[in-house]
Amino acid sequence: MPHTATIDRNKVRALMQAEQQRFAEQHPRSLELYRRAQHSLLAGVPMHWMTRWPGGFPIFVAEARGATFRDVDGHEYIDLCLGDTGAMTGHAPAAALPAITEQLHKGITTMLPSENAFWVAEELQRRFGLKYWQFALSATDANRFALRLARAITARPRVLVFHGCYHGTVDEAYAWLVEGKPASRPGNIGPQVDPTLTTKVVEWNDPEALEEALRPGDVAAVLAEPVMTNVGIVQPAPGFHQALRELTRRYGTLLILDETHTLSAGPGGYTRAHGLEPDMLTVGKPLGSGIPSAAYGFTEEVGRRAQAVIQPPYADTGGIGGTLAANALSLAAMRATLEHVLTEAAYQHMIALGRQLEAEVQEVMTRYRLPWHVTRVGCRVEYLFRPNPAQNGSEALAGQDPDLDPFIHLFMLNRGILLTPFHNMTLISPETTAAQVRRHTEVFEEAVRALIG
Ligand code: PMP
């Protein structure tokens, strides 16, 4: 048996210190802005989780185009984070800008429908196979609205999510398993109710636990990503999707698939790529090339039942809404994105590069005998510092590496490559090139050599 490489933890920490120093030296302007921001922005950032970038302070961006961006210190980066999928289209995609710019001059929001609404709904129908569509401005809202409708039409109080999930800042989805029992997710800020009152939680890939939770008949909907992508990538085991669909049907529970990240699997997401049959589907982030946009769709049957519960005079005070939702700019951006950017041809390019990235990273792992693995959903690739793919949220969380995860991010960043924060996720846009993927692999190998050399 070939031995596997071992990583000296003290060495990782020493390397990390050196990278932090290098980062501070290379980013004087970002540091200056970050210091200034302490006087007006809470924690010195416009969004609190931006404090979590591994260099000690975030880099400030001057300009982002296609698959790259430049920071205020003049460094150029290959962007494999792509706004954590919000810019999976590439930044400011040239193919969508004319329609978006034109709409800016023709009015942004009126609270009346525009003709683009039909085009987008019909295209989503064609891509995902669901009949009726509604729009929102974030995937979080799409999920919230889908859950509300599911509870309203089933007249059931609870929902079910999988341990380790993330579906945006949706209160009901902030339930996890803690020591094997449903509880508020660690770090849940000021929950309005204890999420265990609203939500059941089971492990992904566990049909027995799922059936037990659905059996009492009080679960309105299961909300799930078709592949877990927010705790590292956790693939569905063979047969799990079939079990999920059969069990939800058997117990009268609606199945909501959140395709916000798995849209990386193809033009119709993982749902179309794998012939899944959700009752509802939610999607957001890159749908409008970064202009706030999201959509949620229903089967004909669910749409009919939903229509019955959205009755005047409560239509805009019933808990589903948003004055700016379905605004003309958002719809123009969605149309331009679907028509010109996230096309079949674009996906062929993106998925081919996803395969290249996966194969190159795997080759480095094999050559250096690293006890790690790499996994992929279309044009989304993730490497994890554990030997075998996790089967569920608990295994994925246990496999997170508090030393290596931040180290690899900072090492890459210092050499011009941005990974998605919190785990080691890379995403390919239509404008990413094979040379950029290759460059990522070179830097990845350089990091490996530093670790084990
Ligand atoms: N669904 C999934 C699967 C997500 O990963 C996220 C955000 N990471 C969301 C929904 C929420 O998206 P947003 O923050 O844009 O509302």
Side-chain angles (χ1 to χ4, degrees):
M1 274 262 295
H3 66 281
T4 52
T6 48
I7 308 259
D8 174 355
R9 294 284 148 170
N10 290 329
K11 184 167 187 190
V12 183
R13 280 170 216 134
L15 286 169
M16 186 65 181
Q17 269 183 3
E19 291 301 322
Q20 275 164 334
Q21 194 178 337
R22 176 173 170 161
F23 179 80
E25 283 164 13
Q26 280 184 356
H27 299 92
R29 178 83 181 124
S30 276
L31 181 56
E32 189 188 320
L33 293 177
Y34 179 62
R35 288 199 175 125
R36 182 174 142 202
Q38 305 300 321
H39 302 291
S40 60
L41 298 170
L42 189 67
V45 286
M47 242 298 281
H48 64 91
W49 64 252
M50 291 180 188
T51 55
R52 287 190 53 198
W53 288 100
F57 57 93
I59 46 179
F60 283 68
V61 175
E63 193 173 316
R65 283 210 188 153
T68 60
F69 70 93
R70 184 166 44 79
D71 71 12
V72 291
D73 287 289
H75 306 294
E76 297 277 343
Y77 298 84
I78 298 168
D79 191 354
L80 296 171
C81 165
L82 294 168
D84 190 11
T85 312
M88 191 175 91
T89 50
H91 296 287
L97 284 188
I100 293 173
T101 315
E102 192 188 329
Q103 189 61 51
L104 278 171
H105 293 279
K106 294 197 318 195
I108 295 169
T109 191
T110 57
M111 238 189 167
L112 289 166
S114 57
E115 285 192 29
N116 284 332
F118 306 112
W119 194 98
V120 175
E122 284 164 15
E123 177 61 12
L124 293 173
Q125 221 174 41
R126 191 184 71 78
R127 288 192 182 212
F128 294 105
L130 290 167
K131 172 98 176 150
Y132 293 118
W133 291 86
Q134 289 282 281
F135 299 104
L137 294 182
S138 68
T140 297
D141 264 358
N143 284 326
R144 289 178 46 233
F145 300 158
L147 289 177
R148 273 187 175 259
L149 284 170
R151 277 195 301 267
I153 67 185
T154 59
R156 292 178 175 189
R158 305 185 78 183
V159 301
L160 183 143
V161 297
F162 292 99
H163 175 51
C165 71
Y166 186 71
H167 297 282
T169 54
V170 177
D171 289 295
E172 296 97 317
Y174 271 58
W176 273 23
L177 296 175
V178 176
E179 288 167 11
K181 295 207 175 62
S184 198
R185 175 187 175 136
N188 188 2
I189 300 168
Q192 49 185 319
V193 293
D194 174 355
T196 61
L197 297 175
T198 58
T199 310
K200 299 187 183 187
V201 198
V202 298
E203 292 277 18
W204 181 242
N205 284 330
D206 185 346
E208 286 79 29
L210 177 65
E211 176 157 23
E212 200 176 310
L214 296 184
R215 194 177 290 120
D218 56 352
V219 177
V222 171
L223 174 62
E225 286 190 273
V227 178
M228 296 187 89
T229 68
N230 279 295
V231 66
I233 287 176
V234 187
Q235 303 276 358
F240 183 64
H241 268 295
Q242 202 183 348
L244 175 60
R245 186 60 281 194
E246 275 172 21
L247 289 169
T248 43
R249 282 207 175 113
R250 185 179 314 154
Y251 292 103
T253 296
L254 297 173
L255 176 59
I256 308 172
L257 292 183
D258 177 349
E259 286 276 10
T260 301
H261 275 184
T262 44
L263 198 57
S264 61
Y270 195 92
T271 289
R272 187 172 105 200
H274 294 264
L276 305 184
E277 295 178 0
D279 298 298
M280 296 191 204
L281 184 146
T282 60
V283 62
K285 293 202 187 183
L287 202 54
S289 292
I291 301 286
S293 307
Y296 50 115
F298 323 87
T299 59
E300 188 159 10
E301 146 87 359
V302 172
R304 198 179 38 72
R305 291 166 73 191
Q307 177 62 41
V309 299
I310 310 177
Q311 291 296 346
Y314 300 114
D316 69 336
T317 52
I320 293 176
T323 313
L324 301 180
N327 70 69
L329 181 64
S330 176
L331 282 161
M334 284 188 263
R335 176 174 179 164
T337 304
L338 294 169
E339 196 170 4
H340 302 301
V341 186
L342 293 180
T343 60
E344 301 272 347
Y347 270 101
Q348 277 178 21
H349 169 80
M350 292 150 75
I351 292 173
L353 289 190
R355 287 204 183 97
Q356 178 191 331
L357 200 151
E358 180 187 34
E360 289 182 3
V361 167
Q362 182 60 63
E363 192 280 325
V364 172
M365 289 178 176
T366 308
R367 188 148 42 86
Y368 289 88
R369 300 200 181 104
L370 293 160
W372 302 345
H373 75 279
V374 54
T375 186
R376 184 174 62 83
V377 183
C379 63
R380 181 186 301 284
V381 181
E382 168 119 16
Y383 35 90
L384 296 103
F385 303 127
R386 47 169 284 142
N388 305 313
Q391 293 300 305
N392 58 39
S394 289
E395 285 184 23
L397 285 165
Q400 287 179 346
D401 193 311
D403 299 321
L404 286 177
D405 288 343
F407 169 74
I408 201 85
H409 279 79
L410 193 55
F411 190 94
M412 293 274 189
L413 193 62
N414 281 340
R415 288 153 188 81
I417 291 175
L418 187 74
L419 299 177
T420 308
F422 316 144
H423 44 107
N424 313 314
M425 197 157 77
T426 58
L427 187 64
I428 308 288
S429 79
E431 296 187 53
T432 309
T433 64
Q436 289 170 335
V437 169
R438 185 74 212 119
R439 175 70 193 139
H440 161 273
T441 312
E442 280 167 16
V443 178
F444 178 72
E445 182 171 354
E446 200 183 322
V448 167
R449 277 206 304 269
L451 285 168
I452 65 175

